[in-house]
Amino acid sequence: MSHFAGAVHVATTDGPAGRRGVTISATCSVSDDPATVLICLLREHEQNRLFIENGVFALNTLASRHRPLSEAFSGRLALSQDERFALGEWETLQTGSPVLSDALAIFDCRIVSWQDHATHHVLFGEVADLRMGEQDQALVYLNRRYHGLDL
């Protein structure tokens, strides 16, 4: 599956269960009416259940300049959640999930359905709010490496 190119995002959640953010490329648009996206989160990381328990998430689309942030939220640097969030400028929209102020795009979602499949939790989120950032080079992950993609 490393040959399947994907845009890089930081998925975030916050609520009664706690705050969490993770780097993901396993996401896609599902529908435009109502606007719905899906994200896939590894089940082996028990803290990913926070997304389901909170019932909300934000999908923050990263630009190539966000590579250090992507690496931090990937978990490879062994940073705490607080240390990861300290690396960016965050705010909230409708759901209360952290959104990256300078993301290329932000999809602020309420979970309408989810299921476990193989190694992942698959969450479907209806878009409650949307913000488009400045056009810039997108961050893409392919063959286990980062690449920039000009728009």
Side-chain angles (χ1 to χ4, degrees), residues 108-140:
D108 190 32
C109 302
R110 287 189 174 78
I111 297 172
V112 294
S113 176
W114 70 274
Q115 69 180 53
D116 286 338
H117 181 77
T119 57
H120 285 73
H121 300 299
V122 181
L123 285 60
F124 292 83
E126 190 171 307
V127 178
D129 207 347
L130 173 68
R131 181 185 296 165
M132 304 303 294
E134 294 182 29
Q135 287 194 350
D136 199 353
Q137 188 178 58
L139 187 61
V140 175

Side-chain angles (χ1 to χ4, degrees), residues 72-93:
F73 277 91
S74 74
R76 292 185 204 153
L77 304 180
L79 299 174
S80 71
Q81 288 292 312
D82 287 341
E83 291 170 321
R84 295 174 191 191
F85 279 103
L87 298 174
E89 188 174 315
W90 303 89
E91 54 190 281
T92 59
L93 299 177

Side-chain angles (χ1 to χ4, degrees), residues 25-102:
S25 60
T27 184
C28 71
S29 169
V30 175
S31 173
D32 63 354
D33 188 17
T36 307
V37 297
L38 73 76
I39 64 172
C40 300
L41 303 168
L42 278 171
R43 289 174 48 198
E44 73 182 41
H45 299 296
E46 288 186 30
Q47 294 297 309
N48 283 341
R49 291 235 8 123
L50 296 178
F51 286 84
I52 296 166
E53 293 169 14
N54 286 333
V56 296
F57 67 85
L59 188 62
N60 299 277
T61 306
L62 302 184
S64 60
R65 69 180 179 278
H66 293 125
R67 181 176 173 173
L69 192 67
S70 174
E71 290 172 344
F73 277 91
S74 74
R76 292 185 204 153
L77 304 180
L79 299 174
S80 71
Q81 288 292 312
D82 287 341
E83 291 170 321
R84 295 174 191 191
F85 279 103
L87 298 174
E89 188 174 315
W90 303 89
E91 54 190 281
T92 59
L93 299 177
Q94 283 192 32
T95 72
S97 297
V99 297
L100 183 62
S101 297
D102 65 342

